Amino acid sequence: MTSSAAPDPAVLSPRLPSPLQELDDDRFARRGLRLLLKRDDLIHPELTGNKWRKLAPNLRAAAGRTVVTFGGAWSNHLRATAAAGRLLGLRTVGVVRGHELADRPLNPSLARCAADGMRLHFVDRSTYRRKAEPETLAAVLRDLGVEDPYVVPEGGSNVPAVRGCRALGEELGDRADVVALACGTGGTLAGLAAGLPPGRRALGVPVLKGGFLAADVQALQERAFGSRRGTWWLDERFHFGGYARVTPELDAFAEDFTARHGVPVERLYVAKMLYALVALAEEGAFARGTTIAAVVTGSPFPERS
């Protein structure tokens, strides 16, 4: 059922601000570093982490219209959008990369989207790569036949999302010298860096190859705030082969982190960021006395095989 009034995501009772948890980890302590976890994975059981922060302002802006968005076959963003649609009574459409998937059984991630009421529309990979081009987007929307849709880009990174993620930096304030998070499309980093107070820095760990993210983050900040904001940088060495790539080494690292601290580690984003922090600590990248906050941007999806 679709509501005629604009839904307010606040009715879902998010846990904000999200908890800040200090860990006792000898890999950091012996170098004079403090490690905190910003537990954005605990904001909401279905709209976890940065998905809540990016989706909530977009859902308000949708004002009851059908939400059309984009993602790959294992997209966290598609699952979160579908869950939001079910919880708030909004129609959702997911445009999925890979026309060949239309004739195959749905994987567990897309099956969850469909179960939550999302209509799935598969497009070929060439079309998907051009989805931001006005003519291509218009053609996709014509094929969908949706009247007056509200379009959210892949990963949810747009101006409302970036402004929404500014609250993450504001919540952290002066509690950490460096704040680290994994990055896909860059919207969370763009907002986080803008919300941090002067003198605090944000580190982005891209999970995709390509070296394009710095320009994308700056462009998002310029559109959202008029100029580059805050102090932020990227370390591009920890993508482990690209998006959705998980090596045995990374899997073992994530299992060890969970065993040490009792925190479930999502593999596609969070594990790569935590691995990067351990490596950087070993390299001496952080001065003694530095407090590092690692943003846990999501929870594991257990059905992934």
Side-chain angles (χ1 to χ4, degrees), residues 1-297:
M1 183 176 73
T2 302
S3 172
S4 59
D8 184 356
V11 304
L12 303 181
S13 301
R15 185 179 182 183
L16 291 171
S18 60
L20 192 63
Q21 173 184 358
E22 182 163 5
L23 299 187
D24 181 8
D25 192 310
D26 65 291
R27 295 169 295 186
F28 295 86
R30 67 174 175 260
R31 294 175 173 86
L33 308 173
R34 291 176 67 215
L35 179 65
L36 312 176
L37 294 187
K38 179 64 168 165
R39 297 294 304 273
D40 267 19
D41 57 315
L42 301 179
I43 289 176
H44 188 273
E46 295 189 74
L47 304 181
T48 60
N50 62 341
K51 301 309 174 191
W52 171 276
R53 295 188 188 276
K54 293 199 284 188
L55 274 175
N58 275 291
L59 295 169
R60 293 188 184 97
R65 292 179 285 166
T66 299
V67 175
V68 175
T69 193
F70 301 81
W74 290 97
S75 169
N76 296 327
H77 169 68
L78 287 185
R79 288 201 310 276
T81 304
R86 171 175 56 81
L87 293 168
L88 294 171
L90 278 173
R91 291 190 179 95
T92 60
V93 179
V95 179
V96 184
R97 179 180 63 247
H99 191 265
E100 72 278 4
L101 300 175
D103 298 322
R104 300 177 187 174
L106 297 178
N107 69 27
S109 185
L110 293 177
R112 175 73 63 83
C113 292
D116 279 340
M118 174 174 274
R119 173 186 165 193
L120 300 175
H121 178 77
F122 298 89
V123 299
D124 64 82
R125 293 170 187 272
S126 175
T127 298
Y128 193 89
R129 283 194 297 270
R130 304 192 312 273
K131 63 188 178 298
E133 298 174 5
E135 290 184 3
T136 302
L137 177 59
V140 170
L141 294 177
R142 281 197 303 271
D143 288 344
L144 292 177
V146 176
E147 183 178 350
D148 191 27
Y150 182 83
V151 178
V152 179
E154 180 179 33
S157 291
N158 58 7
V159 167
V162 171
R163 291 174 178 164
C165 288
R166 181 169 50 189
L168 174 58
E170 293 168 347
E171 287 176 23
L172 283 161
D174 292 322
R175 296 180 183 178
D177 303 296
V178 175
V179 182
L181 77 163
C183 301
T185 51
T188 308
L189 176 62
L192 161 68
L196 287 173
R200 311 297 164 167
R201 299 174 288 152
L203 164 63
V205 178
V207 301
L208 291 84
K209 295 189 293 185
F212 56 86
L213 196 60
D216 288 356
V217 173
Q218 180 153 334
L220 284 166
Q221 288 195 325
E222 288 171 352
R223 291 201 294 272
F225 309 118
S227 63
R228 180 171 174 136
R229 295 292 179 91
T231 302
W232 55 267
W233 83 102
L234 302 173
D235 193 317
E236 311 244 5
R237 296 178 292 161
F238 301 99
H239 52 69
F240 285 84
Y243 182 70
R245 300 291 178 86
V246 177
T247 66
E249 180 186 12
L250 183 66
D251 199 48
F253 170 85
E255 289 183 4
D256 175 71
F257 194 93
T258 297
R260 287 171 181 256
H261 303 298
V263 177
V265 178
E266 187 272 336
R267 299 303 200 258
L268 305 188
Y269 289 86
V270 178
K272 296 179 180 182
M273 177 269 299
L274 293 171
Y275 187 102
L277 287 179
V278 171
L280 287 166
E282 291 175 351
E283 292 172 4
F286 306 113
R288 295 186 69 86
T290 298
T291 297
I292 305 163
V295 183
V296 183
T297 49

